[in-house]
Amino acid sequence: MIDLGRNYMCGITGYTGINQAGPILLEGLRRLEYRGYDSAGIAIQSESKKDEAGENGGDNTSCTLKMLKATGKVSHLADKFEAEPDFKGVCGIGHTRWATHGVPSDTNAHPHLSADGKFAVVHNGIIENFADIRAELQKYGIEFKSETDTEVIVQLLAYNYKGNFKKALMKTIARLTGSYAIGVISDEHPGTIFAAKQASPLIIGIGIGENYFASDITALVSNTKNVIDLDDGEVAEITPDEVKVFDHTGKEIDKEIRHINWDIASAEKSGYEHFMMKEIMEQPHALKATIEPRVKDETIVFDEIKGLDMKKFNRVHITACGSAYHAGCVGRAIIESLCKIQVEAEVASELRYRDPVMDEKTLVIVISQSGETADTIAAMKECKYKGATVLAIVNVVGSSIAKLADYCIYTWAGPEIAVATTKGYTTQVALLAMFAVWAAGELKTISHGAYTSMVIDIMHLPERAQRALDLNTKVKKMADKYYDNQSLFFIGRNMDYAVALEGSLKLKEISYLHSEAYAAGELKHGTIALIEPGRLVVALCCYEKLFEKTVSNIQQVKARGAEVLAVAHEGNRSIFQEADDVLLVPQTDPLLVPVIEIIPLQLFAYYVAKKNGCDIDKPKNLAKSVTVE
Ligand code: M6R
């Protein structure tokens, strides 16, 4: 599996120099707000005091570590800072947290302090073996305060510390598996920050008599444009006058200083013009974050739903809104196919008022990126009232839906800022597929061979998503050709139809063009009357079992003058005889096709909207989180 890391959750920053660290750290955190977060915090080394014994690794002074944390906005943290005139120091670290392990709270917010108060850490990433390390340290009597995976880093560091900061840190990170970008300060080493990186981003900013680190350029760009990119496995020792970088063996290495010329706005979007494009491009990373921690030895492991007994249910009901509902339509097909259980999918705004027939033998799956959608919450309450068990698939940790559900699986897609969901949708579908395979294993409705083959295909999704992005560099050309069609159709059968629903919604919500998704075989029952010369029909042709059938529908619309843009698998030669234009995606298991097939359609919607001059990230009349009925 390709190593894509998880580079979007949380933001970290650090400063050491001659100026007060507090305001600089807060400004850095404000710049990182765009990444999405639910709490924030800073730690500083407060005024130095003389270390008479001179015992501290060569330094003859020490200091006290002070922390401030706040749930919610960085502005809350800034208010707390203003109220603490003694919160002074010239070296510190800061963090915006997007919860993954443990709800958003002051206790779970970073920085985390070691039990002896000697070290403070900020961390972006996920420590996969945190439970083992935590259990081990607890045996030595070390008490943990938070529910986070991060706290093990700082407790282990304090445990390993015998006077040499660098040695203790190297020993600590050698134990960690997963991803991390960390910044650490100690009360015994005034002015020194250590930073380390593995599969999460971290850059060092070079100033004059002051140096910085951060998750990305945004937090640094107003202070310096000279940066060092830390690579995986490397450790940096940052002091006001010097930055030393070491490889994983501890040997000092030379690093190049890079000059950047981005302004703040382009830095926030990692150089992309819009968050939507950034999030489309993040999908391989997001899928990896969703999938990888839940696969062990080709087996799907959901620690989150231990105790969920699939044998108790005689049917499954999926409910959600918008794109999440479209993900549910895909989920219905996968669960039915693998688990041989009756599954329905229904929009939450209908289900909530329908008096549905369900009882304690019904499993309801609710899907929501934000976890705050009013209709979805109301529908799930109705289902719970009727005795159903509710399993939520949610992106935002600690959201209302996550809390109300009996069980919750997080997609871990990272914050999604653009109103039009992209990585939110693909990670929902991937998780539904994983759930279906897991449930089929529990119900024994899948053979060992089919189970393993599905798991392998699921694990390949991140690199196939990357391939779909790489293959579709010409989508912009297609958008330039078709952008002024005022009304168009998306057609497909089975899985392709489910993707048509999402492709059509993507286009209409950001480009304001009228578009409809149709089950390809249904066109001739009325809608074909609307097909006329020049009308664009986007034909989804990846569900190969029904390819020939979809081809006849293509021929029917072409006979009436339509232009056809097809999406098909790489290697499908015959589609070029049928369609005017073709977008290709890599092969995958038929049940997983939607994760990959939607990608060129997201790009198509993006470029059509751009060509039409639309406000892509904030389309008119829409909100990211629909908390009203
Ligand atoms: O946060 P949710 O997933 O519950 O939101 C559901 C819909 O409002 C959402 O998917 C909406 O359709 C998106 N704008 C689609 O891109």
Side-chain angles (χ1 to χ4, degrees):
M1 197 158 185
I2 46 172
D3 184 19
L4 296 158
R6 292 178 207 166
N7 66 1
Y8 29 74
M9 295 172 193
C10 309
I12 61 175
T13 189
Y15 170 80
T16 178
I18 42 168
N19 292 307
Q20 282 301 310
I24 296 172
L25 294 172
L26 287 168
E27 179 55 19
L29 295 184
R30 272 187 209 103
R31 301 279 187 207
L32 294 169
E33 280 187 306
Y34 79 94
R35 294 166 72 92
Y37 69 104
D38 42 49
S39 54
I42 54 177
I44 53 153
Q45 296 172 330
S46 78
E47 310 290 280
S48 298
K49 59 182 187 241
K50 193 106 177 107
D51 171 19
E52 302 294 350
E55 288 168 350
N56 301 317
D59 294 323
N60 66 354
T61 54
S62 66
C63 52
T64 315
L65 300 184
K66 284 191 173 173
M67 283 200 307
L68 281 178
K69 301 184 188 189
T71 309
K73 296 284 163 208
V74 172
S75 55
H76 296 163
L77 183 66
D79 291 344
K80 284 193 174 177
F81 175 73
E82 290 304 326
E84 293 270 349
D86 291 340
F87 198 85
K88 284 205 158 61
V90 292
C91 175
I93 51 180
H95 190 268
T96 48
R97 173 171 188 254
W98 201 75
T100 58
H101 291 68
V103 295
S105 68
D106 284 8
T107 314
N108 288 334
H110 300 209
H112 289 285
L113 213 55
S114 55
D116 60 9
K118 281 197 162 318
F119 296 93
V121 70
V122 288
H123 165 224
N124 170 19
I126 292 181
I127 305 303
E128 283 162 10
N129 59 340
F130 83 100
D132 294 347
I133 300 175
R134 189 179 168 118
E136 194 180 312
L137 292 170
Q138 279 168 333
K139 270 197 225 144
Y140 302 133
I142 295 169
E143 279 181 29
F144 283 76
K145 287 206 171 74
S146 74
E147 301 164 88
T148 65
D149 53 332
T150 299
E151 196 181 342
V152 301
I153 303 174
V154 75
Q155 302 289 18
L156 185 59
L157 175 63
Y159 179 76
N160 286 335
Y161 183 67
K162 306 281 178 282
N164 185 320
F165 196 172
K166 182 183 144 208
K167 244 193 200 164
L169 181 65
M170 304 275 323
K171 193 168 173 192
T172 300
I173 58 177
R175 273 294 308 277
L176 307 177
T177 58
S179 57
Y180 55 81
I182 54 179
V184 207
I185 52 174
S186 148
D187 67 345
E188 293 190 3
H189 300 268
T192 300
I193 303 175
F194 271 95
K197 166 185 154 48
Q198 182 65 48
S200 287
L202 198 153
I203 53 170
I204 296 162
I206 309 294
I208 299 170
E210 51 191 357
N211 289 310
Y212 313 78
F213 78 84
S215 299
D216 65 40
I217 289 163
T218 339
L220 304 179
V221 83
S222 55
N223 298 313
T224 179
K225 295 201 170 185
N226 294 322
V227 301
I228 291 176
D229 299 298
L230 210 63
D231 287 312
D232 284 352
E234 293 175 351
V235 170
E237 182 178 4
I238 309 168
T239 58
D241 300 315
E242 204 178 16
V243 174
K244 288 183 186 170
V245 179
F246 308 96
D247 70 10
H248 71 284
T249 66
K251 195 175 120 230
E252 191 173 347
I253 49 173
D254 284 336
K255 295 287 287 188
E256 209 177 295
I257 295 181
R258 181 165 66 96
H259 184 77
I260 43 142
N261 46 18
W262 287 4
D263 60 15
I264 294 279
S266 59
E268 277 184 351
K269 293 170 191 144
S270 307
Y272 293 106
E273 198 179 336
H274 299 99
F275 281 111
M276 183 179 175
M277 183 53 95
K278 175 172 177 274
E279 287 157 9
I280 289 173
M281 292 299 175
E282 276 175 356
Q283 289 178 108
H285 295 261
L287 286 163
K288 185 179 154 101
T290 306
I291 296 164
E292 209 178 60
R294 291 166 171 136
V295 180
K296 305 217 163 75
D297 303 326
E298 294 182 350
T299 303
I300 291 176
V301 181
F302 279 121
D303 291 335
E304 308 94 319
I305 52 175
K306 271 187 190 141
L308 179 66
D309 179 9
M310 282 307 292
K311 294 182 197 88
K312 191 177 139 189
F313 307 113
N314 58 15
R315 66 198 193 110
V316 176
H317 208 110
I318 301 177
T319 191
C321 301
S323 296
Y325 164 71
H326 297 156
C329 293
V330 177
R332 170 182 55 198
I334 309 178
I335 297 169
E336 248 177 16
S337 163
L338 296 181
C339 301
K340 312 297 173 212
I341 189 169
Q342 187 197 338
V343 190
E344 284 170 53
E346 188 176 6
V347 288
S349 53
E350 286 297 311
L351 177 68
R352 66 182 288 189
Y353 294 118
R354 201 175 51 81
D355 193 17
V357 177
M358 54 178 66
D359 54 24
E360 59 289 341
K361 288 189 180 152
T362 311
L363 173 67
V364 171
I365 302 179
V366 297
I367 309 167
S368 175
Q369 188 286 129
S370 63
E372 301 295 347
T373 303
D375 283 324
T376 310
I377 293 174
M380 84 186 272
K381 283 185 177 161
E382 176 68 17
C383 298
K384 280 191 89 163
Y385 174 74
K386 299 212 163 208
T389 298
V390 174
L391 164 67
I393 291 183
V394 172
N395 194 34
V396 178
V397 174
S399 55
S400 304
I401 291 177
K403 285 191 204 142
L404 279 167
D406 298 302
Y407 298 90
C408 178
I409 313 179
Y410 289 115
T411 44
W412 291 335
E416 200 176 54
I417 313 285
V419 165
T421 184
T422 51
K423 62 178 182 171
Y425 167 84
T426 43
T427 53
Q428 284 162 356
V429 175
L431 209 45
L432 283 159
M434 293 183 85
F435 172 77
V437 176
W438 172 84
E442 296 288 298
L443 294 168
K444 306 205 181 338
T445 51
I446 190 169
S447 70
H448 180 68
Y451 180 102
T452 309
S453 149
M454 276 301 285
V455 174
I456 290 171
D457 268 315
I458 288 170
M459 287 185 74
H460 280 300
L461 282 174
E463 71 198 43
R464 289 183 182 149
Q466 187 61 55
R467 173 94 184 131
L469 289 167
D470 296 343
L471 276 173
N472 282 290
T473 48
K474 69 168 187 185
V475 178
K476 182 173 177 310
K477 251 200 200 154
M478 298 295 111
D480 289 348
K481 180 170 172 189
Y482 294 117
Y483 77 98
D484 60 352
N485 266 264
Q486 287 312 305
S487 176
L488 59 151
F489 291 94
F490 284 72
I491 61 167
R493 289 168 180 261
N494 195 288
M495 286 295 184
D496 286 331
Y497 172 50
V499 180
L501 292 168
E502 177 59 7
S504 170
L505 177 64
K506 218 68 326 174
L507 185 77
K508 58 189 150 198
E509 71 178 323
I510 60 166
S511 73
Y512 319 141
L513 298 182
H514 171 251
S515 141
E516 274 185 61
Y518 253 81
E522 187 66 13
L523 267 187
K524 59 186 174 294
H525 298 288
T527 310
I528 203 161
L530 295 172
I531 302 295
E532 55 186 35
R535 172 82 70 230
L536 177 63
V537 175
V538 180
L540 305 185
C541 305
C542 291
Y543 192 71
E544 289 183 343
K545 253 196 211 164
L546 298 175
F547 175 68
E548 296 307 331
K549 304 279 176 201
T550 307
V551 165
S552 350
N553 301 126
I554 290 177
Q555 289 165 351
Q556 286 160 8
V557 296
K558 279 204 71 78
R560 286 152 183 88
E563 287 191 83
V564 172
L565 169 62
V567 182
H569 279 138
E570 274 183 289
N572 181 338
R573 294 275 137 241
S574 49
I575 190 65
F576 289 89
Q577 320 299 315
E578 309 294 341
D580 297 280
D581 290 292
V582 180
L583 299 172
L584 294 172
V585 292
Q587 288 272 358
T588 186
D589 184 281
L591 295 177
L592 302 175
V593 154
V595 178
I596 305 302
E597 192 177 26
I598 192 63
I599 288 173
L601 301 181
Q602 295 167 341
L603 291 166
F604 183 68
Y606 174 87
Y607 285 118
V608 168
K610 193 167 169 211
K611 184 87 182 158
N612 282 304
C614 303
D615 186 352
I616 293 181
D617 284 338
K618 292 193 182 116
K620 67 175 186 207
N621 307 339
L622 297 181
K624 181 67 184 161
S625 179
V626 187
T627 53
V628 291
E629 194 176 345

